[in-house]
Amino acid sequence: MRTCLIAVLLIFGLPLHAESRSSLAAAIEDAATNAFKDERHSVEIEGCQMTTYRWRDRPEQGWVLWTSVQVDMVDAEINENKLRPGEKFGYAVLDPGPPEIGFGLIGFTMRPSTLARQERSILREPSRETHPSPRGGGSTHYYEYREEFIFTLEGPGVSEKVRKFPALYDRYVKAYCTFTG
């Protein structure tokens, strides 16, 4: 019976792992979601595209999208921590607490001939050539293109999040974004 069900799913093109794909994407998004003091961080996964978001609460403007990075996940590889081989994150305790307040960092390098598109608020000084973003009619944000970028989290519970994120990300890319032929 099970063989017949799998055959029917394959014939009609129905995904066998739709639930596990969505649950894995949700786990990645959860590991990257954080709010502490005047910053909020999140990630969205759509297919094999990841978009990171960092919002800052600016006294004069309120919550501003400070930076956002959009990548094809197969092209964005998580860097290994040079100080701790085998780890793909950095973490530091800022206040032992309780609760412990930490700072976590995950660095990415783009594969050769690919770039990450970073959207930045005009409240930030450009660091390279820019292109207008359609956000705010092109008057509030701009794009820069990068070979490398980082994603950071700060606050309580960050240690567990930055430890989980790389394994979840790598597992997702291997299962859903890498095609062999």
Side-chain angles (χ1 to χ4, degrees):
M1 178 66 175
R2 182 180 169 156
T3 305
C4 290
L5 178 59
I6 291 173
V8 169
L9 291 172
L10 291 172
I11 290 168
F12 290 103
L14 300 175
L16 294 174
H17 301 293
E19 183 176 359
S20 63
R21 181 178 185 155
S22 64
S23 64
L24 187 52
I28 294 168
E29 291 171 348
D30 182 60
T33 299
N34 189 60
F36 185 68
K37 294 185 178 178
D38 66 345
E39 290 196 19
R40 295 187 310 222
H41 300 263
S42 65
V43 161
E44 289 180 0
I45 306 289
E46 283 190 37
C48 290
Q49 189 169 73
M50 178 178 75
T51 306
T52 69
Y53 298 94
R54 177 181 174 205
W55 298 83
R56 294 195 63 199
D57 190 7
R58 306 301 293 173
E60 307 82 31
Q61 292 86 12
W63 287 100
V64 173
L65 177 62
W66 199 246
T67 191
S68 175
V69 178
Q70 188 173 62
V71 296
D72 288 328
M73 294 172 74
V74 74
D75 293 329
E77 297 178 317
I78 298 178
N79 300 334
E80 186 171 294
N81 184 333
K82 290 179 176 45
L83 300 176
R84 295 180 184 262
E87 291 184 359
K88 291 186 166 186
F89 63 89
Y91 180 76
V93 175
L94 300 177
D95 182 349
E100 178 177 289
I101 305 299
F103 179 80
L105 177 140
I106 298 170
F108 293 83
T109 298
M110 300 302 293
R111 290 185 190 268
S113 303
T114 66
L115 297 171
R117 186 183 77 186
Q118 182 181 30
E119 185 176 20
R120 299 175 75 177
S121 167
I122 61 162
L123 301 174
R124 300 180 68 186
E125 189 71 30
S127 60
R128 55 185 59 192
E129 180 184 351
T130 67
H131 306 276
S133 161
R135 190 180 305 272
S139 64
T140 62
H141 291 78
Y142 59 88
Y143 291 135
E144 293 183 347
Y145 292 87
R146 306 206 166 274
E147 297 85 16
E148 298 178 322
F149 67 98
I150 60 171
F151 185 78
T152 63
L153 300 173
E154 182 179 346
V158 166
S159 174
E160 181 181 348
K161 288 177 177 276
V162 297
R163 291 174 200 283
K164 284 171 48 175
F165 184 94
L168 293 167
Y169 181 92
D170 287 344
R171 198 165 78 221
Y172 185 94
V173 169
K174 184 177 180 182
Y176 302 109
C177 303
T178 306
F179 306 102
T180 58

